[in-house]
Structures are given as C-alpha cells and as structure tokens.
Amino acid sequence: MNILEAKQVRKSFGSRNQVYQVLKGIDLNVRAGEFVGIMGPSGAGKTTLLNVLASIDRPTEGVIEIGGSDIARMKDRDLSNFRREKLGFIFQDYNLLDTLTVKENILLPLSLGKQNRMESERMFVDIAKALGITELSDKYPNEISGGQKQRTSAARALINNPSLVFADEPTGALDSKSASSLLGNLEGINRERNVTIMMVTHDPVASSYCSRVVFLKDGQLYTELYRGDKERKDFFGDIMSVQSALGGDGYDTV
Amino acid sequence: MTLFDLVRRSMRKNIKHYYLYFFSFIFSVMLYFVFATLQHDESVIKGAELSLRLDQSFKVAAYLLLAIVAVFVLYANSIFLKRRSNEIGIYQLIGLTRGGVARMLMIENMLLGIGALLVGIATGIVVSRGFLLLLVKLMGKEAFIELSISIPAIMQTAIVFIILVAVTSLQSLRVVYKSTLIDLFTARRTTELSKQPGKISQLLFGVLGIVLIVFGYWYSGRMVNSYFILNAFIVLAATIFGTFFFFRATVGWLLHLWRKRKDGHLAFRDTLSTAAIMHRMKSNARSLTLITTLSAMTLGMIGVAYSLYYSVENSTRGMFPYDFAFQNQAEFASSFEKELTAAGISFEQKELASVELPVDVAKLPSQASAYWADLKASVFSNDSLEQAGMTIVDPTGGAVLFDSFANSDMFGSNVGYDVTLKMPNNELDITIKEVEEKLAMNTDTSFYQLAVDRTTYEKLASGAQEVPYLVFTLGQEEDSKEATAIYKKVVPEKEQRVVYYDMLAQQFEANGLMVFITGFLGLVFLLTTGSILYFRQMTEAEQERQTFRTLRQLGFSIPDMMNSIIWKQLFIFGLPLAIGILHGIFAIKSASSFLFSASILLPATVAFIVYAAIYAIFAAFTIGYYRKIMKDVL
Ligand SMILES: Nc1ncnc2c1ncn2[C@@H]1O[C@H](COP(=O)(O)OP(=O)(O)OP(=O)(O)O)[C@@H](O)[C@H]1O
Ligand SMILES: [Mg+2]
C-alpha cells in the first residue's frame, strides 16, 4: 500500500520575469514501511522536495497524496491531525524554539495530546537516552552544540511515535558515533514499528541504512536503488558507484 | 498541556524576550491616556475655550496622536509576529490547527492588551499629574490643581486600545492563514534585499526625488495667496514624495556610484555598512520617509510654538507699550494714581497727546485694512514719545509707522510709500521713513499710529483737537496683580481698556497650551520614530548574526566590526534626522512669513538640539544591541 504518492510535482521560485524551476516534474511512490533515502548534488532540490512532500511547502504544480488523500484539499483540522499523530520532521537547520529548554522542545508535540505526565516523562526519558541527550534537558538551544541541537530536533520528531518521518540531513552535524546511533534508532523504528521514513542525506553511509535510495539531479529523478536483502556494505558500494556516475560537484564523493 | 497552558508558557517566555514590544504597548497606552486625561481636564478645557483655534488644535492633536499610536502598535506587532513566526510554524507542525494557533495568538493578544491597558492607565494616572503641572506652569497659571481620576479618559483609552488589539489580532490571523509553514520557518531569516541599482528608471526617480524636494522648498516661500490651501497641499505632497524617492532611489544611486568608483576595493568598514544600507534601502524607504516626515512635522510645530511662546512678552509689549493707559479719562486716572500711591506701589506716570485724523493709505502695500471705510490715524510727535520713555527713529522729513506685525513680510515693507492725512481744510502727503515693529500707544482700535517731528505735529494739531493720554508704568512687576485689581475697581467696566498684564496672562495661557500640545505630540512622535528605527535595526542585527559569526571566525575583532556598525547607524539615524531638520527649517520659515513676528533662531535651535539629543539616545541603544549580538555569536 502506498502511504505517499507524488504525481508530476513541480516547484518554481522567483517572480514573473525570472522563474527558476527547482523541481521539474517528480513522480514518487512510497510504500508503508519503506526507509527511503534521497541523495543528489547540493542544490538538486532535495530539501525542496522533502518540504513539499511533508506539507511544509506548497508545490507549484502536481498532486501529493498522503494515505490516499490530496493534501492540498485536506481540511485544516485533518491536516493538523495528520501532523499531530503521524508526522515527524527533522530539520536540516534544527528549528528549535529558543525560548524553550531542550526538554520542553522535545515534549512540545505531546503538549497537545492526551498523555498524562508520567507517560510523557517516560517517553521523554526513552528517546533522550536513545539519542544521548539526557544530560542536556534543562539547557536552552543556544547553550548546546550543533550536533546536540540536531539530536534534540530528532527527538522532538520521534517522541510521539510518528508513522511517517521526514528527515533532512539528520546526521549532517553529527560525529560518526552519534550518527550511527541516530541511524540505528531510525532503522529500529522502521523495522520494529513499520515506521515509514524519508531521509535526505549526502552521506553514503547514512543512506546505506535505507531500503531504497532515490537519486535526484537538477530537479528530476535520476535513478533509484533497492537494497533488497543485500548486506549494508554491499549496498554502500552500489550507492557509491551511482554517486560517482552522477558526478555532481564532487562535494558528495570523498 | 492545554492550549491555555501553551499560551501561558509562551507568554511567560516571551515577556523576557520581547519585553520591548510589551513596553512599547504599555507606553503607547500611557501617553494616550495622559493626553486623554488632559483633554478632559476642566482647567485645560477652560484654557482651550480661550479661542477656537486652540480648541481645534487640541482636537487635531488628539487625532494625530491616535493615528501615530495606531501605526506604531501595528508596526510593532508586525515585527513581533515576524520574530515569532518560527514558533507559530512549529506549533502547526506538531499538529495545532490553524484555528488553534490563531486562537492562541488572539488569547495572547488579549491578555497582553488588557495587561498593557491596566499598567498603562495606572502609570498614566501617576504621571499625568506631572504633565498637568507642567502644562499649568507653561500656561502661567496658579499651580494649584487637583487631579481626579478621569473616567471619560479611561473609557476613551480603553475603547481605542480594544479596537487596536482587535486590529492586531486580525493582523496575526492573516499571517497564520496566509502563510505556508516554510514561509513561517524562513520569515525571520529572509531579508528583503533589493536588486542592484543602476537601472535608468532608478536614476530618473533619484533625480525626481531631489527635484520634488527643491521645488517644495521653493514653493513653500510663495504660498501666500488666495490658493493657500491648495498651495500648502502641493508643498506637502512634493516634499513627502520627494523624500520617498530620495530614500528609495537617490541614496541607492549615489552609493552605487561611489561603490563603482571603488571597483571592488571596499574598506572593511564599508562592507558591513554601505553594502548593507544599499541592500535594504529600498525596503526601508517607506519607514524612513515616515520618520523624516514625522520629524519635520514635530520640528516645525515645536519650532513655531516655542518661538511664539518665547516672544510672548516681547510681542505683547509691542502692542501694549504701557502697563495702563487712560485716554480722555483724567478723573479715573487721578483716582487710579491716588489708589496706587495709597497701596504703596511704585510707578511712573507720563502725559502724552495725539491728533486723530482721517487717513488714506491706499498706496501702502499692506493695504489689507484699506477696505475699511473711515480709516483714522493717531499721530504723535516724536519728542513726546521719547519723553514718555520710548526710543524711536527720527521721523524728520517724513513719518514713522507703528506696526506690531511689520515683521511678517506677507505684503512687503511699507517703507518709502506715502500716506495722505486729511486735515479739515487741506491734505498732507507724508512719506513713511521707517516702520517700527511695535505700537506707540495701548489701543483697542484699528487706528494707524504714526510719529512725526514737532513742527509737522504742530501743523497737524492746529486744525484738530488733541487727544490727551495718561500712561502708567509700574516700578515692579510683582505689583501687577494688585495694580490691575485697583484699575478694575477704579474704572467702571464699560470704560475699561485691555490691560497689559491681562493680555500677557492670556497670551501665556494660549501659547503655553500650544507649546505643551506640540511638545507632547513631538515627544510621542520622537519616541515612536526612535522605536521604529530601533526595532528595524534590531531585526537587521538578528538577520546578520551569521555574518558576524563568520567575520569573527575570520579574525575580525568586535571593535573592527563595531566601527562599521556605528557608521551605518549614523547613516540610518542621521539621514532622516538631517532631512527632517531641513524640512522643518523650511516649514518654520514659511510659517514665520505669514503667522507671526517673533524671534525664531534661538528657540528653534533649542528645540532642534533637544530633539536630536533624544533621538541620539535611540541610536546609542541600537549600537548597544549590535554589540551584544556580536559578543553573543561566538
Ligand atoms: N526560497 C527560495 N527561493 C529561491 N530559490 C530557492 C529557494 N529555496 C531553494 N531555492 C533554490 O532551489 C534549489 C534547490 O534547493 P534545495 O534547498 O532544495 O537544495 P538541496 O538539494 O537541499 O541542496 P543541499 O544539499 O545543499 O541542501 C537551489 O538551487 C536553491 O538556490
Ligand atoms: Mg538541503
């Protein structure tokens, strides 16, 4: 079953006389329980695509259906319910509220639900422990490092057990140890709870955790790779070879 | 956590971060309330009934105040919304409906509005007493006042601000319903950069700006004719649009030329200042125009009002050279003299005489009053005036004309023109040698007053009856009250003339009220414009956080960067001030040419300096804010 369908999605920026098309007609289907990686050179439109798919941004043209309904036509209440109960979003630039502590930021999504205090606390402790930020709970965002902010942002996205997670370079600011623990965590919820994940990344190691990797170039789908039952190491090799074929700006290949 | 909890929490956090917005809201309420209180205060109302003109000014001032407070609150709210847009986006992302977010903002707005209203009115009650004291002092009244809490003022303030809160709520609603999440997430970081200048259209608009301003200045000296209202409108429109184009195009164009000459070799100071100014000039044009216009209005108003106030004594004395004057009232004068002596009041008494003759002034340029039939002139001899203590130019061979409005060169000078005095048997043409900017005798008639030499006087007096005067001047001004009371006791009401001291008090009252109103409005304008600039700069500083971080990482020190920030602030604050002052000077100049004859230079300079000084405080605050951000980024 497709949880997400994008048909001929286009997105342009700019004004009348200087239109710049960033997404040039993208078709993409994501089945429930998939872990999709999105790769491509910088400026290819990955962030834009993710934002459009996650209902954060509006496409200029095209239809996006989540769970069978067109999000452009969804009622405000239904869209909000969807975001509250199903969606988790990890931002490339963290997007934390400066006025709230780490703990308050993470608990924010639960503030609308019906969980009682003890339950929320337990959920917080679990996710904070998994991401290694328990000690930071009373700090404010401007008192922690970039990687710690990124993990806080991830914790906020995951705390309400979403069934669909969008992550924009969630490991961009992390060292390899925290990166692999976050990826492991994502892989875990994907395997155990059948959570659908879409993750933009530049890192072939990160995308080797995925079950499918979609390559984007100049606003179009370039190719895609399925992991099947390959070992992660072998899948990593496949990704590397597509990436060098893709060339790009050399920023991606190390 | 319920919605209400969320509101409470976010408000608690926000008070710390956005105290400025809360403060400005409270401050607006307070100022508005103070003005409303004065407007409804009995002693002021009495003062305002003095003349229709003052009453009108009070009403106009109230509307101006309302307009500026509204603009200010809306502007502050829009900045506040922008700074919080990220938060608004996150709330929606975690699943709050738009309706929910909107409701939350409205609750917040309401709580904030009610809080500000209460605090503002409370502080207003405390400080309005001080303002009232100041007003009473300016008006030269007895400083005995009792200020009760004015219920109508509270009502008026509450209504105005409840409406404002409603409008700001609508403003918030628009942001919530019209923006996508991505707009909200990026709103704080996006800068409205303008395109590179250099197009022909910009040059055209740039030149147009200067042309319009110059035209406005030029025309402002020529507006006094039968199309006065239209002319005033033309001048206003020309200068305001000229200023707008100046900021929007001219400044950018000039900077562009300058930058081109540098050919990429910008000094470090310029990278942070000039480049930033150029990028934002276009989007700043509207607020800079507003600020310039408000400054010019303030300076013009205060300059005129303060000049008038400053010269009240002079101009009153010009119209009433003696403290008391008796014309043909010898018996009243002698009992007045007796009573004064009995009361132990020191005074000087002089005798004077004039001849009253019909006069033809058709040849004078200032012939506005020539339409009146039966014009008369009181003619004095210069030696008798001098003997009474007045110094005047020697009129030998002509006449000296007394005209207390001589300085207002609305119709040009009368010097060199002839008037014709009609004696019973013949006529005498006499040339105006000089015009004295005062009167020779207290009067409540519209007679022309002339001085001639002794021989001419005798000739004129031979055929007509002389009018005798007895004039009194007090030795000490402190006795004025008592002496005035004696005058009113001695002289029956029907025979009484206007007394210098009564006139003086009335003038002080009227002009004091004007100074107060304009000063109060000026203060509000100043605080508003200062805060708007400060808010804007604060937002820019936030947006440049990343630049500062990068620069510091590259090894630039805080003093290096502050240097260029100070430069930029000089420009941002200094330019509107400078142009505002220039506009203000021309406004005062054109007002002075037809409104009054008063000394302008000193009072206007004082007003300008005070204005600039308070304005500079805001610049200092802004610079301080930048310094704080620079320290913070690393
Ligand atoms: N708000 C915007 N206005 C104009 N152009 C934009 C805007 N946002 C993105 N772009 C342009 O769209 C293109 C794609 O941007 P996007 O952020 O999607 O790239 P990306 O693939 O995520 O790159 P990266 O890997 O560097 O994050 C870029 O060329 C960018 O300049
Ligand atoms: Mg990106």
Side-chain angles (χ1 to χ4, degrees), chain A residues 137-154:
Chain A
S137 28
D138 292 328
K139 295 207 154 143
Y140 283 93
N142 60 358
E143 301 167 333
I144 60 178
S145 76
Q148 290 166 337
K149 281 186 210 166
Q150 191 148 46
R151 280 179 274 161
T152 307
S153 173

PDB file of all heavy atoms in Angstrom, chain A residues 137-154:
ATOM      1  N   SER A 137      18.827  18.173  29.274  1.00  0.00           N
ATOM      2  CA  SER A 137      17.402  18.531  29.255  1.00  0.00           C
ATOM      3  C   SER A 137      17.077  19.947  29.702  1.00  0.00           C
ATOM      4  O   SER A 137      16.153  20.543  29.184  1.00  0.00           O
ATOM      5  CB  SER A 137      16.553  17.531  30.031  1.00  0.00           C
ATOM      6  OG  SER A 137      17.299  16.942  31.032  1.00  0.00           O
ATOM      7  N   ASP A 138      17.859  20.500  30.633  1.00  0.00           N
ATOM      8  CA  ASP A 138      17.476  21.831  31.120  1.00  0.00           C
ATOM      9  C   ASP A 138      18.205  22.975  30.437  1.00  0.00           C
ATOM     10  O   ASP A 138      18.082  24.125  30.836  1.00  0.00           O
ATOM     11  CB  ASP A 138      17.704  21.904  32.628  1.00  0.00           C
ATOM     12  CG  ASP A 138      16.734  20.997  33.357  1.00  0.00           C
ATOM     13  OD1 ASP A 138      15.600  20.836  32.846  1.00  0.00           O
ATOM     14  OD2 ASP A 138      17.107  20.423  34.396  1.00  0.00           O
ATOM     15  N   LYS A 139      18.984  22.624  29.402  1.00  0.00           N
ATOM     16  CA  LYS A 139      19.697  23.707  28.714  1.00  0.00           C
ATOM     17  C   LYS A 139      18.815  24.335  27.637  1.00  0.00           C
ATOM     18  O   LYS A 139      17.869  23.718  27.153  1.00  0.00           O
ATOM     19  CB  LYS A 139      20.957  23.141  28.065  1.00  0.00           C
ATOM     20  CG  LYS A 139      21.946  22.641  29.087  1.00  0.00           C
ATOM     21  CD  LYS A 139      23.340  22.728  28.528  1.00  0.00           C
ATOM     22  CE  LYS A 139      24.303  22.866  29.665  1.00  0.00           C
ATOM     23  NZ  LYS A 139      25.537  22.214  29.540  1.00  0.00           N
ATOM     24  N   TYR A 140      19.164  25.552  27.266  1.00  0.00           N
ATOM     25  CA  TYR A 140      18.476  26.219  26.169  1.00  0.00           C
ATOM     26  C   TYR A 140      19.240  25.985  24.866  1.00  0.00           C
ATOM     27  O   TYR A 140      20.452  25.757  24.887  1.00  0.00           O
ATOM     28  CB  TYR A 140      18.364  27.719  26.445  1.00  0.00           C
ATOM     29  CG  TYR A 140      17.280  28.032  27.440  1.00  0.00           C
ATOM     30  CD1 TYR A 140      17.560  28.130  28.795  1.00  0.00           C
ATOM     31  CD2 TYR A 140      15.963  28.178  27.023  1.00  0.00           C
ATOM     32  CE1 TYR A 140      16.555  28.381  29.714  1.00  0.00           C
ATOM     33  CE2 TYR A 140      14.954  28.433  27.930  1.00  0.00           C
ATOM     34  CZ  TYR A 140      15.254  28.534  29.277  1.00  0.00           C
ATOM     35  OH  TYR A 140      14.249  28.780  30.164  1.00  0.00           O
ATOM     36  N   PRO A 141      18.545  26.022  23.735  1.00  0.00           N
ATOM     37  CA  PRO A 141      19.195  25.723  22.454  1.00  0.00           C
ATOM     38  C   PRO A 141      20.490  26.495  22.215  1.00  0.00           C
ATOM     39  O   PRO A 141      21.426  25.946  21.636  1.00  0.00           O
ATOM     40  CB  PRO A 141      18.132  26.114  21.427  1.00  0.00           C
ATOM     41  CG  PRO A 141      16.851  25.878  22.112  1.00  0.00           C
ATOM     42  CD  PRO A 141      17.099  26.218  23.555  1.00  0.00           C
ATOM     43  N   ASN A 142      20.559  27.738  22.674  1.00  0.00           N
ATOM     44  CA  ASN A 142      21.797  28.465  22.381  1.00  0.00           C
ATOM     45  C   ASN A 142      22.950  28.065  23.289  1.00  0.00           C
ATOM     46  O   ASN A 142      24.045  28.588  23.175  1.00  0.00           O
ATOM     47  CB  ASN A 142      21.562  29.979  22.422  1.00  0.00           C
ATOM     48  CG  ASN A 142      21.070  30.434  23.772  1.00  0.00           C
ATOM     49  OD1 ASN A 142      20.863  29.606  24.665  1.00  0.00           O
ATOM     50  ND2 ASN A 142      20.904  31.730  23.949  1.00  0.00           N
ATOM     51  N   GLU A 143      22.678  27.105  24.190  1.00  0.00           N
ATOM     52  CA  GLU A 143      23.767  26.660  25.064  1.00  0.00           C
ATOM     53  C   GLU A 143      24.307  25.290  24.674  1.00  0.00           C
ATOM     54  O   GLU A 143      25.122  24.728  25.379  1.00  0.00           O
ATOM     55  CB  GLU A 143      23.269  26.587  26.517  1.00  0.00           C
ATOM     56  CG  GLU A 143      22.755  27.910  27.047  1.00  0.00           C
ATOM     57  CD  GLU A 143      21.987  27.760  28.353  1.00  0.00           C
ATOM     58  OE1 GLU A 143      21.416  26.667  28.594  1.00  0.00           O
ATOM     59  OE2 GLU A 143      21.949  28.726  29.107  1.00  0.00           O
ATOM     60  N   ILE A 144      23.799  24.744  23.548  1.00  0.00           N
ATOM     61  CA  ILE A 144      24.266  23.415  23.178  1.00  0.00           C
ATOM     62  C   ILE A 144      24.864  23.436  21.773  1.00  0.00           C
ATOM     63  O   ILE A 144      24.672  24.382  21.022  1.00  0.00           O
ATOM     64  CB  ILE A 144      23.126  22.364  23.260  1.00  0.00           C
ATOM     65  CG1 ILE A 144      21.987  22.739  22.319  1.00  0.00           C
ATOM     66  CG2 ILE A 144      22.631  22.232  24.675  1.00  0.00           C
ATOM     67  CD1 ILE A 144      20.861  21.736  22.297  1.00  0.00           C
ATOM     68  N   SER A 145      25.584  22.357  21.435  1.00  0.00           N
ATOM     69  CA  SER A 145      26.294  22.340  20.159  1.00  0.00           C
ATOM     70  C   SER A 145      25.348  22.014  19.009  1.00  0.00           C
ATOM     71  O   SER A 145      24.203  21.623  19.209  1.00  0.00           O
ATOM     72  CB  SER A 145      27.386  21.282  20.207  1.00  0.00           C
ATOM     73  OG  SER A 145      26.795  20.001  20.082  1.00  0.00           O
ATOM     74  N   GLY A 146      25.857  22.197  17.790  1.00  0.00           N
ATOM     75  CA  GLY A 146      25.041  21.924  16.613  1.00  0.00           C
ATOM     76  C   GLY A 146      24.545  20.489  16.571  1.00  0.00           C
ATOM     77  O   GLY A 146      23.370  20.236  16.310  1.00  0.00           O
ATOM     78  N   GLY A 147      25.417  19.553  16.858  1.00  0.00           N
ATOM     79  CA  GLY A 147      25.022  18.147  16.843  1.00  0.00           C
ATOM     80  C   GLY A 147      23.981  17.861  17.910  1.00  0.00           C
ATOM     81  O   GLY A 147      23.042  17.085  17.695  1.00  0.00           O
ATOM     82  N   GLN A 148      24.158  18.512  19.065  1.00  0.00           N
ATOM     83  CA  GLN A 148      23.179  18.306  20.142  1.00  0.00           C
ATOM     84  C   GLN A 148      21.820  18.887  19.758  1.00  0.00           C
ATOM     85  O   GLN A 148      20.779  18.305  20.044  1.00  0.00           O
ATOM     86  CB  GLN A 148      23.706  18.947  21.434  1.00  0.00           C
ATOM     87  CG  GLN A 148      24.885  18.181  21.997  1.00  0.00           C
ATOM     88  CD  GLN A 148      25.634  18.960  23.062  1.00  0.00           C
ATOM     89  OE1 GLN A 148      25.589  20.184  23.123  1.00  0.00           O
ATOM     90  NE2 GLN A 148      26.360  18.231  23.912  1.00  0.00           N
ATOM     91  N   LYS A 149      21.857  20.017  19.047  1.00  0.00           N
ATOM     92  CA  LYS A 149      20.593  20.583  18.562  1.00  0.00           C
ATOM     93  C   LYS A 149      19.947  19.611  17.589  1.00  0.00           C
ATOM     94  O   LYS A 149      18.728  19.408  17.603  1.00  0.00           O
ATOM     95  CB  LYS A 149      20.851  21.905  17.842  1.00  0.00           C
ATOM     96  CG  LYS A 149      21.056  23.069  18.751  1.00  0.00           C
ATOM     97  CD  LYS A 149      21.167  24.344  17.936  1.00  0.00           C
ATOM     98  CE  LYS A 149      22.067  25.319  18.664  1.00  0.00           C
ATOM     99  NZ  LYS A 149      22.512  26.442  17.875  1.00  0.00           N
ATOM    100  N   GLN A 150      20.769  19.013  16.724  1.00  0.00           N
ATOM    101  CA  GLN A 150      20.227  18.108  15.725  1.00  0.00           C
ATOM    102  C   GLN A 150      19.572  16.904  16.397  1.00  0.00           C
ATOM    103  O   GLN A 150      18.492  16.465  16.002  1.00  0.00           O
ATOM    104  CB  GLN A 150      21.352  17.642  14.798  1.00  0.00           C
ATOM    105  CG  GLN A 150      20.815  16.931  13.588  1.00  0.00           C
ATOM    106  CD  GLN A 150      21.700  17.150  12.383  1.00  0.00           C
ATOM    107  OE1 GLN A 150      22.919  17.035  12.471  1.00  0.00           O
ATOM    108  NE2 GLN A 150      21.103  17.457  11.248  1.00  0.00           N
ATOM    109  N   ARG A 151      20.217  16.421  17.437  1.00  0.00           N
ATOM    110  CA  ARG A 151      19.624  15.271  18.137  1.00  0.00           C
ATOM    111  C   ARG A 151      18.355  15.693  18.867  1.00  0.00           C
ATOM    112  O   ARG A 151      17.387  14.920  18.947  1.00  0.00           O
ATOM    113  CB  ARG A 151      20.647  14.674  19.107  1.00  0.00           C
ATOM    114  CG  ARG A 151      21.644  13.789  18.369  1.00  0.00           C
ATOM    115  CD  ARG A 151      22.662  13.208  19.298  1.00  0.00           C
ATOM    116  NE  ARG A 151      23.790  14.119  19.492  1.00  0.00           N
ATOM    117  CZ  ARG A 151      24.638  14.035  20.512  1.00  0.00           C
ATOM    118  NH1 ARG A 151      24.473  13.106  21.439  1.00  0.00           N
ATOM    119  NH2 ARG A 151      25.635  14.877  20.618  1.00  0.00           N
ATOM    120  N   THR A 152      18.346  16.919  19.393  1.00  0.00           N
ATOM    121  CA  THR A 152      17.126  17.418  20.037  1.00  0.00           C
ATOM    122  C   THR A 152      15.984  17.488  19.019  1.00  0.00           C
ATOM    123  O   THR A 152      14.847  17.068  19.289  1.00  0.00           O
ATOM    124  CB  THR A 152      17.361  18.817  20.626  1.00  0.00           C
ATOM    125  OG1 THR A 152      18.512  18.768  21.458  1.00  0.00           O
ATOM    126  CG2 THR A 152      16.163  19.279  21.417  1.00  0.00           C
ATOM    127  N   SER A 153      16.325  18.009  17.836  1.00  0.00           N
ATOM    128  CA  SER A 153      15.323  18.111  16.780  1.00  0.00           C
ATOM    129  C   SER A 153      14.795  16.727  16.409  1.00  0.00           C
ATOM    130  O   SER A 153      13.585  16.528  16.211  1.00  0.00           O
ATOM    131  CB  SER A 153      15.960  18.793  15.566  1.00  0.00           C
ATOM    132  OG  SER A 153      15.112  18.778  14.459  1.00  0.00           O
ATOM    133  N   ALA A 154      15.707  15.746  16.354  1.00  0.00           N
ATOM    134  CA  ALA A 154      15.289  14.375  16.038  1.00  0.00           C
ATOM    135  C   ALA A 154      14.390  13.824  17.133  1.00  0.00           C
ATOM    136  O   ALA A 154      13.352  13.198  16.864  1.00  0.00           O
ATOM    137  CB  ALA A 154      16.516  13.488  15.860  1.00  0.00           C
TER     138      ALA A 154
END
